[in-house]
Amino acid sequence: MSLEGEKTGNSLGIPKAIFLEDVDKFMKDGSKTAEEVLRKLEELFQKYRVMEVSLLQKKEKLKVQIPDIKQSLDMIQLLKRNKANEKTIETDFILSHNLFARAEVPPTEKVGLWLGANVMLEYSLEQADDLLSKNLKQANQSMDQTDTDLDFLKDQITTTEVNMARVYNWDVKRRQSLKPSA
């Protein structure tokens, strides 16, 4: 009998931890020692922890990315309104960390978007709006999926910890029963 179940219930194929309801039966079904089972459970536990750290890092990245996309979308909306009104806007923009410059932006039909890896492309306001809206939707979906995967993973970590405690306690009772009473 395996300590891992089917790889279902999540988008990453994380194996579901099997809850050991009857530790006696589980330990007697195979020729496993408590130390072997505990070692496998600890290994599974460590895998879950590594996955959890990875998902938490992804979530933190998304927490930064989503407000940036929203801010860019807001700026596109402002540029669209000012284009329609034929108004020039005065704004401060960031040059580097804590360094800003003031600029006058005339009505425009095009905008440059940073795509990453030092790449900037010019888009029309409509194309930029569409692209950023799509990116925001994908980022929100990714955040929701990451939260779901984290919840699933936390359940698996808890199940594995409980299994480790139950196998350890089973082994302690077994050893106590083997000792001659004094």
Side-chain angles (χ1 to χ4, degrees):
M1 182 177 216
S2 174
L3 295 169
E4 294 179 22
E6 298 174 12
K7 296 185 179 192
T8 59
N10 62 76
S11 67
L12 300 176
I14 301 168
K16 183 172 173 50
I18 302 296
F19 179 70
L20 302 178
E21 289 188 43
D22 189 351
V23 178
D24 277 328
K25 183 180 177 194
F26 178 80
M27 294 304 288
K28 289 176 184 167
D29 280 351
S31 58
K32 305 173 276 291
T33 65
E35 291 78 23
E36 290 171 336
V37 172
L38 284 170
R39 193 173 337 105
K40 286 183 180 181
L41 285 168
E42 180 64 30
E43 185 179 302
L44 185 61
F45 177 77
Q46 292 304 324
K47 287 179 186 177
Y48 286 145
R49 283 291 184 197
V50 168
M51 288 182 241
E52 181 183 36
V53 167
S54 174
L55 285 173
L56 287 170
Q57 288 172 342
K58 180 179 179 181
K59 184 175 180 172
E60 288 304 312
K61 183 179 171 191
L62 287 168
K63 279 183 179 178
V64 170
Q65 190 178 35
I66 289 172
D68 286 347
I69 294 171
K70 285 180 180 177
Q71 185 179 18
S72 295
L73 268 171
D74 290 344
M75 183 53 75
I76 297 294
Q77 296 304 320
L78 177 66
L79 289 171
K80 281 179 164 181
R81 282 193 307 272
N82 288 336
K83 179 184 166 220
N85 297 338
E86 297 287 328
K87 280 176 65 177
T88 298
I89 51 173
E90 189 172 297
T91 185
D92 294 330
F93 64 95
I94 191 166
L95 291 175
S96 69
H97 189 65
N98 292 332
L99 181 61
F100 292 83
R102 187 162 299 242
E104 286 188 9
V105 181
T108 182
E109 293 184 20
K110 300 214 179 269
V111 67
L113 293 179
W114 285 106
L115 300 180
N118 293 326
V119 175
M120 178 185 263
L121 286 179
E122 187 176 77
Y123 290 94
S124 71
L125 292 176
E126 290 302 321
Q127 290 173 328
D129 192 12
D130 292 344
L131 178 67
L132 290 171
S133 295
K134 184 182 89 174
N135 288 353
L136 181 61
K137 181 180 175 189
Q138 287 175 341
N140 283 325
Q141 287 173 343
S142 184
M143 178 68 91
D144 292 342
Q145 188 61 53
T146 300
D147 286 338
T148 301
D149 289 340
L150 273 169
D151 289 342
F152 177 81
L153 198 51
K154 286 177 183 176
D155 289 344
Q156 304 323 298
I157 288 170
T158 301
T159 301
T160 303
E161 287 175 324
V162 168
N163 285 342
M164 289 166 62
R166 295 185 79 215
V167 169
Y168 180 80
N169 290 342
W170 175 87
D171 190 42
V172 168
K173 285 181 184 177
R174 182 189 59 83
R175 280 191 259 147
Q176 284 176 346
S177 69
L178 294 176
K179 284 185 184 177
S181 52

